[in-house]
Amino acid sequence: MWDSAVTPFVPATPSDWEFDAGTRLWFSSGKIGAPQPLLGFGPEPSTLNSRLTYTDLGAYSGETFARADHASGLFIKGFVGAGGITRGNLIDEDFPGFGGAYSSTTSPVSGHLGYATIDLGYTFLKAPGAKLGAFVGYNYYTQHLNGFGCNQAAGDTTCVGLDPNFQVFAEDDHFNSLRLGLASEFWLTDQFKFSAEAAYLPWTEFGGQDDHNFRQLLIPESASTGNGVMLESILSYAVTRNWNICAGGRYWAWNSHTGNEWFDFLGLAPPTQPQLGRFSTERYGFFLQTDYHWGGAATDDAAQPAQQRAAVAMAAMNWTGIYLGGYLGGGWSGDRWSDPFGSTISSGLVNIAGFGDTVHSSGPLGGGQIGADWQAGPWVVGIDAELGAANLRGENTCFSGIGGLDCQHYVDSVG
């Protein structure tokens, strides 16, 4: 005969920490302006010398990411990625070219890219099925491109007879950026979650080098001020309580203020005075993602389904009332300049009309809104006003028939 003591089951205490880790595959395209444009000498130059624009830069990249959230609301997150730029096109414009007329040459390009981000933040608003947090962080982005051969698309003699396999260009760039942003998530059902993030880049530092191999010319580039925006949204599906598969979209943009270019011809004395230029980069596309979640209450298998269902159970809303709000994001603008000029003759060659004339602007924006709603049964009517500050910038060549001018477009507010 024997007695035994039965030890009661004590459920594990939920952790104060929650963790997410996973991988992404990002398919993207983009555009680089370096320089965009290159100007003459002096503190306020008015002479347009040249412009390099890399367009349709298709790429793929793989990423690893992680996030840790504490019960206090503090969180830290980040990602690192790298990949290849598989295709693209370089447009090299000169005002004028070597023959004396407006020149626009094209070259196929390819290369690679890499990036990393780290953020520290605090979740300051929690509601059933939703949360909102703010963060500060740092982003590093680098890209390299090689261009081979060139073809003249305008009326100058530049590129005539050049070997198409000769590496004409190499562009090597990097951006360092400060990030200030908001991150939010909302459970649509007990399995679908929508997440969004917007980061304003109040400071960016650019450095690069443009190599013109045919001319044995090295051009260090730099700009110490600028801004930008990084936007991201994700739709997640919970395959299990801990494993998610996701699809998302992303847009990044950097715009520098005026910086410097040093023209260093090999075999000649080093330059003593820089020329002025501006530098920009855009990258956008979609990604596929998988991640694993553990820690906190999310790993309590008995409780999680009920918690998620409760999180998305919404009481009937009455929308009557006054509200205040704010937003942070980015914007795009496209403008077409009407060209009244035809082609002209310069140094016996033709300044061909019709190049450029379209300006694409992009950058960050943010602001606030105020409004009032009144609900009667299922109907809601209201009035809303909003005002935001913006910094959407862009420039391109216009009026190539008279040799080319630099057309700029700026949006500094929206309402």
Side-chain angles (χ1 to χ4, degrees):
M1 182 176 182
W2 51 275
D3 293 328
S4 62
V6 177
T7 302
F9 173 75
V10 178
T13 302
S15 169
D16 286 338
W17 288 95
E18 295 183 49
F19 302 93
D20 284 275
T23 62
R24 295 189 189 107
L25 182 60
W26 186 22
F27 302 91
S28 63
S29 186
K31 181 180 179 181
I32 303 171
Q36 164 70 327
L38 177 68
L39 304 172
F41 296 98
E44 295 183 1
S46 59
T47 302
L48 176 62
N49 288 341
S50 69
R51 186 193 316 274
L52 296 181
T53 309
Y54 299 81
T55 63
D56 302 320
L57 299 173
Y60 63 90
S61 56
E63 300 178 26
T64 298
F65 65 91
R67 173 168 173 153
D69 288 79
H70 190 260
S72 65
L74 291 174
F75 64 85
I76 185 170
K77 62 185 181 71
F79 58 85
V80 60
I85 300 175
T86 59
R87 59 176 175 82
N89 190 51
L90 166 63
I91 302 173
D92 179 11
E93 299 173 272
D94 291 291
F95 310 90
F98 291 116
Y102 166 75
S103 174
S104 178
T105 65
T106 59
S107 303
V109 298
S110 60
H112 57 263
L113 54 84
Y115 46 88
T117 290
I118 183 72
D119 297 318
L120 178 64
Y122 178 73
T123 299
F124 60 86
L125 180 61
K126 292 182 180 180
K131 62 181 180 180
L132 176 65
F135 61 84
V136 59
Y138 163 78
N139 172 261
Y140 176 79
Y141 178 83
T142 183
Q143 58 196 5
H144 179 86
L145 290 167
N146 297 318
F148 294 86
C150 65
N151 296 289
Q152 180 62 244
D156 196 69
T157 58
T158 305
C159 285
V160 174
L162 185 66
D163 183 355
N165 297 314
F166 182 77
Q167 184 178 341
V168 180
F169 296 97
E171 180 74 28
D172 191 62
D173 303 330
H174 72 264
F175 286 90
N176 291 290
S177 304
L178 174 67
R179 287 164 46 93
L180 300 176
L182 298 172
S184 64
E185 64 178 49
F186 178 77
W187 283 94
L188 304 173
T189 71
D190 60 354
Q191 288 185 290
F192 283 98
K193 181 177 70 173
F194 177 76
S195 306
E197 179 178 296
Y200 170 53
L201 313 182
W203 171 84
T204 64
E205 178 268 339
F206 168 81
Q209 180 160 305
D210 172 20
D211 297 338
H212 282 50
N213 298 330
F214 186 72
R215 300 168 62 189
Q216 296 187 330
L217 173 60
L218 307 180
I219 309 177
E221 306 165 318
S222 64
S224 59
T225 58
N227 60 24
V229 64
M230 303 178 77
L231 308 175
E232 183 174 289
S233 61
I234 304 173
L235 181 63
S236 304
Y237 175 74
V239 181
T240 69
R241 296 183 180 94
N242 301 99
W243 175 40
N244 305 292
I245 58 174
C246 319
R250 181 183 274 168
Y251 177 79
W252 295 350
W254 297 264
N255 289 316
S256 80
H257 298 301
T258 302
N260 295 323
E261 290 212 352
W262 298 85
F263 276 60
D264 185 7
F265 287 93
L266 297 181
L268 299 180
T272 60
Q273 183 178 5
Q275 289 186 242
L276 303 185
R278 291 183 284 275
F279 313 94
S280 62
T281 289
E282 282 184 291
R283 185 140 294 274
Y284 47 86
F286 73 94
F287 56 83
L288 303 176
Q289 169 181 312
T290 181
D291 69 87
Y292 190 82
H293 178 95
W294 73 97
T299 55
D300 184 348
D301 291 347
Q304 187 185 17
Q307 288 173 344
Q308 289 185 349
R309 285 193 293 269
V312 297
M314 295 295 180
M317 293 292 297
N318 187 309
W319 294 97
T320 299
I322 297 174
Y323 60 88
L324 295 171
Y327 56 91
L328 173 66
W332 302 265
S333 174
D335 294 271
R336 177 77 181 177
W337 293 67
S338 178
D339 187 351
F341 306 106
S343 299
T344 61
I345 302 298
S346 179
S347 301
L349 301 173
V350 180
N351 289 315
I352 298 177
F355 287 84
D357 300 330
T358 300
V359 179
H360 169 70
S361 304
S362 64
L365 62 83
Q369 61 193 79
I370 183 172
D373 288 332
W374 179 71
Q375 181 169 349
W379 296 95
V380 179
V381 295
I383 185 171
D384 176 276
E386 61 182 71
L387 180 64
N391 194 219
L392 313 185
R393 294 181 284 154
E395 45 199 310
N396 196 11
T397 300
C398 290
F399 315 142
S400 60
I402 59 172
L405 300 176
D406 187 47
C407 289
Q408 303 176 349
H409 181 72
Y410 294 89
V411 178
D412 57 14
S413 63
V414 291

